[in-house]
Amino acid sequence: MGTFKPIGINTVIIKMTDSAEIIRECAVCVTAWICAAECMCDGSVLRLRDPPGVLGKRLKDSAETVVIGGGCVGVSLAYHLAKAGQKDVVLLEKSELTAGSTWHAAGLTTYYHPGINLKKIHYYSIKLFEQLEAETGQAVGFHQPGSIRLASTPVRVDELKYQMTRTHWHPTPQFLIGPEKIQQLFPLLNMDKVLAGLYNPGDGHIDPYSLTMALAAGARMYGAQIYYPAPVTGLTPTADGRWDVQTPHGTIRANRIVNATGFWARELGQMIGFQHPTIPVHHQYVVTATVPEVKALKTELPVIRDLEGSYYLRQERDGLLFGPYEKEEKMKLQDSWVRDGVPPGFGKELFESDLDRIMDHVERAMEMVPVLKNADIINIVSGPITYTPDLLPMIGPHQGARNYWTAIGFGYGIIHSGGVGRFLSDWIMSGEPPYDLIECDPNRYAHWTSVPYLCAKARESYGFNNVVGYPKEERFAGRPTDRVSGVYELLKDRCSMGFHAGWEQPHYCHKPGDNTGYKWIEREVCDGGYHVSVSNVTDEIGVLGIAGPKSRMVLQKLTDEDMSDTGFRFLHCRSMQLAGVPLRAIRISYTGELGWELYMDMQNMSTVYQALMEAGRDENIDNFGTYAMSSLRLEKGFRAWGAEMNCDTNPLEAGLDYFIKLNKPAEFVGKQALLEIKAQGLSRRLVFLTLHTDDIDPEGNETVWHNGEVVGNTTSGSYSYSTQQSLAFAYLPLHLTHVGQKVEVELLGQKHPATVTQEPLVLTEPTRTRLQKKKRSV
C-alpha cells in the first residue's frame, strides 16, 4: 500500500473573496464556489456562515410558478420557464443558491444512461452546458475530456455490448473501444486487467457552483425573480387550485408550486401531507495534491469509471479526484433526517469523513491507477446526496394536490439539471410532457414506502451502483411491502415474484425440481368542472387473470351468467357474481383467451382463486406468470403499454387503427390530434419481426439496422414457445414496413437477421371461432 499523507483536512479558516483563482487554492472548497460568507471548520464538520437574513428587495405578491429550492435543478427550471416566455416565475431559496447537495458535488457529466429517455435528459444537459457561458456571460468551468467505463471481466464486456445495442438509435456519441485505445486516452492506467471500455467523448465534469450561478443569471436575464434567504414556512391550497406560499418576508399567491428542495423534500412535502420517499446518503470523494505524472500530461485525462472497483476517478487540476460507491454493509445513511427532519440551519455543511470505510476502494483505485500510491490526500469530502428507493428522481405533477409538482430525489442532480429543467418547463407550458419518463413519475410511490423499506432500498441501490445489470433482474431488499394481494401467501412459494409499484406479482411459476429464483383523471375532473369525486382504490381491489381456450368453460361452472362467445363478447365488461362472490367487474380484454380479468375486493381474492383452481381441475388448470404472458401476447401481436404504446407514440403508428372510430360523432379526447396525424401521414409504423438467432433473444430497445444504417428500434421481444423462434416488435420507417422486408437487430454487439412478418403468428380465440364458423358455412 502506498503512502497517504492527509494534509490540512478540515483545518482551514478562510475569508472568501470575489476571486475564483484564490478560492480554487482552498483545499476544502474543491468545487470553487464563490460567496461572501465565511468558511469555517470545527474539526469534523465544514460550516459556512449564512449571510444575514435580509431579503434586500420586496417579495412579489403573485406568481405563475413558484420554484422552491435553489440548487442546480430548481434554478434550471426557473431559467427554462423564463426563457420559454412564462411571466412571473419566482424561485425561493431558504439560505443561498447551491446550499444542500449542489455545492459539494463532484460535478460529473455524461451522455451515458442505461434508460431510454433519460439519455435525452443527459444529452440536453451537456448541449446546454456547452453554450451556457456564451449565452449568460457567466463561466461554468465545463471540462469535456470524455469518459471511459472500464470492463475487466468477460461478463462486463457483454454488459457493454448490451448497452451499445441500446444506444445506436440515439444521438448519444458512444463507442466500444479496446485496451490499446484506452491506454492511449488514459496512459496512467494499469492495463493488466482491462479488456474493453465504453467511451463517451464529450463527457467530463463541470463546476456545480458556477453552473448554478450561470443558470441563475440566465433566469434573471429572462425575467425570473430569485429570492434568498426566503425559507418557505407554510403552504396553503386555495379553493381555485392555487397556493399561498408563506415566507418570513410575506406570502406569494402561486398558480403552481414546484418542490425542488433536495434533501429538504420530505419537510416541504409534509407541509401538505405527503411523505416523499427520499433519504440522504453519505457520499465521499477524495482529492489529492499535485501528482507529477498528471501535471506532465499534455491533455486532460478522461473520467474513468472502474465498474469492478465501483468508483469514478477524474483529473482535478494537476491532481486526481476519485469517489467510491461503498458496499451495502458499509455505506452510511442519514436516516435520522427521515425520522426527525434535517437539522435547522443545515446548508453548506459536510459530514465527518471516514477513510476507513472506503479503503477497499482506495486499494482498488491504486491498483488500477498506480500513481495514486504516492499521492497526498488534501481533502476528503463527505456530503449528503438524496436517494429514492429505485435511484430515479421524482419528476412531474403529484396526485392528491392540485398544481403541486416535484423535481426531487436526484442522486445525480448535476447531469440531470439541464434536461429536467427543460422537460418540466415544456410540460408546464404545453400541458403535456415532451416525451415519456414514466419511470420518474412521482406517483409510482405511495403509503407502502415505509421508512424501513426506504432505508433498505437506498442501501441496496447505493451498494449495487456498479454491479452487473441483467435483463429481468429482481432486487429484494425491503420486500414484500404491505402491498400483497389476497393470493400472495398461496403463491409465494410456488412462484418467482416480480415487483411493480409496490406489488408482488408472479413472473414465472415453478414446477417440481425447478430452481426458484400520468395523472390525468384528476386533472380532467378539475378542468372540466365535473361533479365527481376521485379516490385511489388500488390497495382495495385485487385482480385475477384466467386465460386459455378452456377458460370460458371453467368460468361457466362458477356462475349462472352466460359465458359463451355470443353471451359475453370480446371487449365487453360487466359486474357479476363468481362462486358466490360479487365481483366489481369482469371483462375480456384485448387478449382474447389470454385475458379474462376478474376484479374483486381484496379480501375475496383468495376465495375466488381457490374456486377457480377447483373448477378447472379437470381442465388441468395451472398458474402462469407475467413472463409467459409476455411471450403469449407477442405471438398474438398484442401491444403493451410502456413498450409499443407510450407517450412517445400514437395509436395510428402503433397499428391500432382498428380500435379507433374517427367517424363517430362524439368528440372524444385526442380525436382532433389523431385527425391531424392522419392528414399529415405517418413517417414510421410498428412492425412484427421474426428473428434468426441461436442462444440469445431480444428484450426490447435494441437497435435495428438496414444497409449499414440505424433505421429504428425494437420495443419488446421474447422467445415464442409456440412457434419456436424469437419475436419482437419494432418501429421502422414506412418504406421498410412491408411484409418480407429484411432488416437486422443488434444483440450483444452482433447483428442478427430479422424479417417483417404478418401478425399474428397465433390467432386469438375470437378469430379462430370466426374462421371456424366461416369454414363450416362454406
Side-chain angles (χ1 to χ4, degrees):
M1 189 172 163
T3 58
F4 273 83
K5 303 173 183 176
I7 298 176
I9 299 174
N10 293 338
T11 59
V12 177
I13 300 178
I14 184 170
K15 179 70 176 180
M16 291 298 162
T17 72
D18 291 329
S19 169
E21 290 304 313
I22 294 176
I23 291 169
R24 290 171 194 264
E25 295 298 326
C26 172
V28 178
C29 308
V30 177
T31 54
W33 33 262
I34 309 168
C35 63
E38 280 189 2
C39 166
M40 302 191 308
C41 308
D42 63 5
S44 62
V45 176
L46 175 66
R47 302 187 182 279
L48 281 151
R49 184 174 299 164
D50 287 336
V54 178
L55 196 60
K57 55 183 175 180
R58 184 177 179 273
L59 201 69
K60 287 177 65 72
D61 296 323
S62 62
E64 179 69 26
T65 300
V66 169
V67 180
I68 307 171
C72 58
V73 173
V75 177
S76 174
L77 176 55
Y79 160 82
H80 281 93
L81 283 171
K83 187 175 182 178
Q86 184 171 106
K87 306 301 181 184
D88 297 326
V89 177
V90 169
L91 183 141
L92 302 176
E93 162 54 41
K94 71 187 297 290
S95 56
E96 55 184 303
L97 300 184
T98 77
S101 296
T102 296
W103 76 272
H104 62 74
L108 301 184
T109 60
T110 178
Y111 283 113
Y112 175 86
H113 196 282
I116 301 306
N117 277 344
L118 277 166
K119 281 184 171 71
K120 296 180 180 179
I121 294 289
H122 286 217
Y123 184 86
Y124 177 85
S125 289
I126 288 179
K127 294 306 178 185
L128 172 67
F129 299 166
E130 288 175 345
Q131 57 86 35
L132 194 58
E133 181 174 341
E135 179 183 0
T136 66
Q138 300 284 319
V140 296
F142 192 24
H143 297 246
Q144 293 183 276
S147 76
I148 309 170
R149 282 171 169 77
L150 301 176
S152 52
T153 67
V155 173
R156 285 289 186 188
V157 176
D158 278 350
E159 184 183 30
L160 300 191
K161 290 178 179 178
Y162 178 72
Q163 292 303 335
M164 282 300 300
T165 293
R166 298 161 67 89
T167 201
H168 285 303
W169 56 283
H170 287 272
T172 300
Q174 183 169 294
F175 305 93
L176 187 63
I177 60 176
E180 185 176 342
K181 179 65 173 178
I182 295 171
Q183 179 86 86
Q184 177 186 340
L185 290 168
F186 202 114
L188 304 183
L189 282 180
N190 174 6
M191 300 298 296
D192 290 350
K193 295 182 179 179
V194 177
L195 301 178
L198 203 62
Y199 175 48
N200 289 97
D203 282 11
H205 55 96
I206 195 168
D207 171 35
Y209 179 88
S210 298
L211 167 64
T212 307
M213 291 303 148
L215 289 168
R220 293 187 182 101
M221 182 170 69
Y222 294 116
Q225 297 289 313
I226 299 177
Y227 299 99
Y228 62 92
V232 172
T233 56
L235 294 170
T236 305
T238 65
D240 59 357
R242 295 190 287 175
W243 291 89
D244 283 339
V245 184
Q246 288 117 34
T247 80
H249 312 287
T251 297
I252 302 177
R253 175 69 59 89
N255 287 349
R256 75 183 55 78
I257 56 175
V258 184
N259 183 347
T261 57
F263 55 69
W264 287 281
R266 287 180 66 87
E267 275 78 358
L268 194 77
Q270 286 166 352
M271 291 182 182
I272 53 175
F274 291 121
Q275 297 289 338
H276 295 312
T278 61
I279 187 170
V281 173
H282 289 226
H283 180 66
Q284 302 189 95
Y285 62 80
V286 176
V287 185
T288 76
T290 295
V291 176
E293 295 87 344
V294 174
K295 187 174 184 178
L297 294 170
K298 296 292 190 291
T299 58
E300 184 176 357
L301 293 168
V303 179
I304 63 166
R305 290 170 175 85
D306 182 355
L307 302 178
E308 297 302 320
S310 193
Y311 64 85
Y312 56 82
L313 181 146
R314 70 167 175 83
Q315 187 170 335
E316 171 67 14
R317 304 189 70 191
D318 292 331
L320 296 170
L321 177 155
F322 73 95
Y325 291 97
E326 303 158 42
K327 294 179 181 177
E328 188 176 1
E329 64 275 12
K330 287 188 176 182
M331 57 86 66
K332 189 174 181 180
L333 298 172
Q334 196 63 26
D335 49 1
S336 65
W337 289 11
V338 177
R339 295 190 305 269
D340 308 322
V342 182
F346 192 97
K348 284 187 171 177
E349 299 180 318
L350 294 174
F351 300 128
E352 185 175 2
S353 60
D354 186 352
L355 186 60
D356 290 339
R357 239 176 41 225
I358 61 173
M359 279 311 299
D360 290 348
H361 303 277
V362 171
E363 291 172 2
R364 294 293 294 267
M366 289 192 300
E367 183 181 1
M368 184 64 76
V369 187
V371 296
L372 278 172
K373 295 178 180 179
N374 298 313
D376 293 331
I377 295 179
I378 59 172
N379 193 27
I380 305 174
V381 175
S382 178
I385 58 173
T386 307
Y387 268 33
T388 61
D390 61 8
L391 196 50
L392 292 174
M394 300 169 65
I395 306 171
H398 204 293
Q399 291 175 358
R402 292 171 62 187
N403 297 316
Y404 172 65
W405 296 58
T406 62
I408 58 177
F410 293 91
Y412 309 100
I414 304 302
I415 186 57
H416 283 158
S417 61
V420 167
R422 174 64 182 270
F423 178 84
L424 282 177
S425 173
D426 287 353
W427 193 346
I428 289 170
M429 296 294 286
S430 71
E432 295 288 340
Y435 46 85
D436 198 321
L437 275 186
I438 191 68
E439 64 269 41
C440 297
D441 183 357
N443 305 291
R444 68 190 186 272
Y445 297 121
H447 66 85
W448 50 270
T449 52
S450 63
V451 172
Y453 170 82
L454 172 58
C455 293
K457 295 306 287 187
R459 188 172 291 279
E460 177 188 62
S461 295
Y462 188 84
F464 282 61
N465 234 302
N466 287 313
V467 300
V468 176
Y470 295 93
K472 298 183 170 69
E473 183 179 34
E474 290 291 325
R475 295 182 179 176
F476 296 94
R479 294 171 50 187
T481 69
D482 61 6
R483 267 193 169 176
V484 291
S485 74
V487 295
Y488 174 75
E489 291 298 327
L490 294 172
L491 295 178
K492 67 178 183 179
D493 295 327
R494 290 184 277 168
C495 302
S496 286
M497 292 291 180
F499 188 76
H500 297 272
W503 293 101
E504 299 288 331
Q505 69 177 43
H507 273 176
Y508 59 92
C509 303
H510 308 142
K511 296 296 183 184
D514 284 353
N515 293 325
T516 62
Y518 275 122
K519 279 75 57 213
W520 179 84
I521 295 176
E522 283 184 342
R523 190 179 74 227
E524 287 298 305
V525 168
C526 295
D527 294 349
Y530 301 109
H531 298 290
V532 299
S533 60
V534 179
S535 58
N536 190 336
V537 296
T538 301
D539 295 310
E540 302 170 19
I541 297 180
V543 186
L544 289 172
I546 178 170
K550 298 179 181 179
S551 55
R552 289 182 186 269
M553 190 184 308
V554 173
L555 289 171
Q556 190 65 78
K557 296 179 183 181
L558 299 174
T559 183
D560 294 330
E561 299 275 347
D562 183 2
M563 301 302 295
S564 68
D565 183 42
T566 55
F568 203 138
R569 300 185 64 80
F570 186 51
L571 294 181
H572 282 215
C573 176
R574 70 175 66 152
S575 297
M576 57 185 289
Q577 284 200 355
L578 199 72
V581 173
L583 303 185
R584 296 206 179 198
I586 179 172
R587 68 171 176 152
I588 181 168
S589 70
Y590 297 140
T591 52
E593 73 271 16
L594 268 180
W596 293 84
E597 296 173 355
L598 317 179
Y599 295 80
M600 68 214 71
D601 291 331
M602 192 68 76
Q603 64 265 27
N604 294 326
M605 195 171 180
S606 177
T607 300
V608 175
Y609 169 79
Q610 294 184 65
L612 287 168
M613 298 303 287
E614 181 61 31
R617 187 188 301 273
D618 293 340
E619 287 77 18
N620 297 316
I621 196 169
D622 206 347
N623 298 302
F624 68 93
T626 57
Y627 291 164
M629 188 164 70
S630 178
S631 176
L632 292 169
R633 68 99 179 165
L634 274 167
E635 295 171 351
K636 291 181 171 61
F638 290 120
R639 283 76 169 144
W641 179 251
E644 291 72 49
M645 302 179 292
N646 57 31
C647 294
D648 298 332
T649 62
N650 67 68
L652 301 182
E653 63 187 6
L656 297 174
D657 316 50
Y658 176 79
F659 300 100
I660 303 169
K661 306 300 181 186
L662 290 173
N663 59 351
K664 65 165 56 174
E667 192 64 28
F668 57 85
V669 176
K671 181 178 180 180
Q672 291 305 314
L674 287 173
L675 287 170
E676 290 177 14
I677 291 170
K678 186 175 182 179
Q680 292 171 0
L682 301 178
S683 61
R684 65 171 189 167
R685 196 170 179 91
L686 189 71
V687 299
F688 192 62
L689 297 177
T690 54
L691 277 73
H692 309 283
T693 66
D694 38 31
D695 60 349
I696 184 173
D697 300 307
E699 287 284 329
N701 299 316
E702 294 96 0
T703 300
V704 182
W705 296 78
H706 181 253
N707 290 339
E709 295 184 354
V710 174
V711 292
N713 64 281
T714 63
T715 54
S716 58
S718 179
Y719 183 75
S720 165
Y721 290 88
S722 300
T723 65
Q724 300 286 293
Q725 60 187 324
S726 293
L727 308 176
F729 273 122
Y731 278 104
L732 295 179
L734 280 185
H735 70 280
L736 297 178
T737 59
H738 62 271
V739 172
Q741 174 68 52
K742 303 294 184 181
V743 293
E744 295 175 300
V745 176
E746 184 180 348
L747 303 173
L748 287 184
Q750 298 294 320
K751 297 174 184 175
H752 296 262
T755 304
V756 176
T757 303
Q758 183 67 49
E759 57 174 298
L761 292 182
V762 179
L763 298 178
T764 62
E765 179 197 28
T767 304
R768 291 200 307 269
T769 302
R770 185 171 63 252
L771 291 175
Q772 288 168 358
K773 288 180 179 179
K774 184 177 180 180
K775 185 177 181 180
R776 286 196 298 266
S777 66
V778 173

